[in-house]
């Protein structure tokens, strides 16, 4: 199996799209699928799919296609989703609170283990199974829980310093919702969710 | 200029990435950029960039590159972002409230003109310039404001019926935050923001 660093971010995005499709197929009890049928469903080229899957040794059988369940497991393993990833959320405002309650963050590969805020009036608030913790306890909680990932849901002006605190605490990957570019440190990857991209894509369909 | 329907959704995503990069270049007072330098910054191939831009008649000058300001305007026009798009938000919970306050949704090409909820205890709440309106007024408000787009921020089980109400009210494009697949009607495009894709991509970098 190639190292994940050899697989580009665009390929990972496509693998993630395939995985989502395969899960939908499984829920419809579809057991086999050809690359051309996958191409039609995922709006990609069949050649692209065969190339992506061949990279990690997955070859469809001509006339039969791929085994949906097996391919799903291979993709989950390739994407590192065959184990639980613990995450903390920094910022207990509207977005942080919504994410703490988001079902997909508390089942399958991800588990939110703590939610931090620096506003004393919020610390101690109950959010289902979680209580809002003080940002001062970040380092200790990350060490105790073994959290590797974080979601940054703080105002733009506080994003960089909170990213630094997460990196200092040993967090390896950060999903940033603040509308600002974070200066990345080599040991802690950051991905910014830019909601304007989705809106711009939608707007471009309005003529 | 080709019709937007001739340009694939993947191309639109890339144009949106280029546009974001060009805005960053402009803020750094960079006036010209070559396709190879754009490729390096946007992690795409230079050939892909030249192909995408040639589709709408934009050709860089060899040895000089593209004019950043002109190219930005061309992309904004191509993406339909050279005019204001009015949007409504359905669901005044955590996500809806956060989005109503999001700066990018209230400057430039987008303007949130109303926020709806069906919970009587929320109707009338003040959110900066907006008040929460009753979902029963959706049709009238869309007609009065000329809103074309909507953001759907309701629980998964309420998403489809609210999408139908938006389509009935004449909304042409919906950005859905509910973790559920919406059955689309031909006149009203829907795009679902799946936060798990971002987390899965990040998780795949943790080895």
């Amino acid at each position: 199996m190639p190292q994940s660093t050899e697989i580009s971010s665009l390929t990972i995005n496509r693998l993630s799209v395939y995985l989502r499709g395969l899960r939908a197929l499984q829920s419809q009890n579809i057991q086999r699928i050809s690359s051309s049928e996958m191409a039609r469903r995922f709006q990609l080229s069949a050649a692209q799919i065969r190339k992506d899957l061949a990279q990690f040794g997955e070859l469809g059988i001509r006339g039969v296609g791929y085994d949906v369940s097996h391919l799903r497991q291979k993709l989950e393993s390739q994407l590192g989703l065959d184990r639980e990833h613990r995450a903390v959320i920094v910022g207990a405002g509207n977005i942080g609170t919504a994410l703490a309650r988001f079902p997909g963050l508390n089942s399958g590969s991800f588990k939110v283990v703590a939610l931090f805020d620096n506003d004393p009036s919020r610390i101690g608030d109950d959010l289902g199974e979680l209580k809002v913790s003080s940002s001062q306890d970040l380092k200790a909680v990350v060490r105790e829980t073994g959290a590797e990932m974080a979601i940054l849901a703080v105002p733009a002006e506080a994003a960089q310093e909170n990213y630094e605190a997460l990196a200092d605490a040993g967090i390896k990957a950060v999903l940033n919702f603040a509308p600002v570019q974070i200066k990345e440190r080599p040991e802690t990857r950051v991905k910014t969710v830019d909601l304007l991209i989705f809106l711009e894509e939608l707007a471009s369909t309005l003529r």
Side-chain angles (χ1 to χ4, degrees), chain A:
Chain A
M1 189 170 75
Q3 288 300 303
S4 66
T5 46
E6 292 172 21
I7 298 181
S8 77
S9 146
L10 277 174
T11 306
I12 287 171
N13 279 337
R14 285 194 304 268
L15 296 186
S16 190
V17 170
Y18 304 161
L19 176 57
R20 213 153 297 276
L22 291 167
R23 288 174 180 160
L25 292 172
Q26 268 201 312
S27 72
Q28 295 161 43
N29 290 315
I30 295 170
Q31 287 165 16
R32 296 199 161 271
I33 190 163
S34 65
S35 52
S36 58
E37 176 61 14
M38 281 178 75
R40 196 184 62 75
R41 288 182 185 244
F42 308 142
Q43 296 170 334
L44 289 163
S45 84
Q48 179 77 70
I49 291 169
R50 287 191 296 269
K51 193 178 148 199
D52 284 336
L53 299 181
Q55 273 184 79
F56 57 95
E58 194 66 14
L59 303 167
I61 300 167
R62 187 177 292 269
V64 178
Y66 297 94
D67 179 307
V68 171
S69 163
H70 175 77
L71 184 54
R72 175 191 164 159
Q73 283 170 32
K74 268 305 237 336
L75 285 175
E76 285 179 340
S77 152
Q78 188 65 27
L79 291 169
L81 302 175
D82 49 357
R83 63 180 181 87
E84 184 183 89
H85 295 281
R86 296 186 168 188
V88 300
I89 298 176
V90 179
N94 283 310
I95 291 185
T97 305
L99 290 169
R101 290 176 171 146
F102 182 61
L105 268 174
N106 290 291
S107 63
S109 314
F110 301 101
K111 186 173 170 62
V112 177
V113 293
L115 172 62
F116 296 95
D117 207 290
N118 62 5
D119 178 348
S121 72
R122 278 183 185 152
I123 295 165
D125 276 5
D126 253 320
L127 277 142
E129 288 178 33
L130 292 176
K131 262 196 202 323
V132 179
S133 307
S134 164
S135 297
Q136 296 185 343
D137 299 332
L138 178 66
K139 215 162 195 164
V141 171
V142 168
R143 196 174 46 227
E144 281 160 27
T145 57
E148 306 162 286
M149 304 180 75
I151 292 169
L152 198 49
V154 299
E157 62 274 18
Q160 185 68 41
E161 70 182 285
N162 277 285
Y163 166 79
E164 303 283 347
L166 288 164
D168 288 343
I171 290 290
K172 296 295 173 215
V174 175
L175 191 64
N176 169 41
F177 281 84
V180 68
Q181 197 69 35
I182 302 276
K183 202 163 159 255
E184 204 172 21
R185 283 166 37 174
E187 72 277 21
T188 306
R189 226 200 126 193
V190 60
K191 183 170 177 68
T192 295
V193 177
D194 185 342
L195 298 173
L196 274 181
I197 289 193
F198 298 113
L199 277 168
E200 291 188 352
E201 196 206 317
L202 261 186
S204 72
T205 68
L206 296 168
R207 286 305 157 93

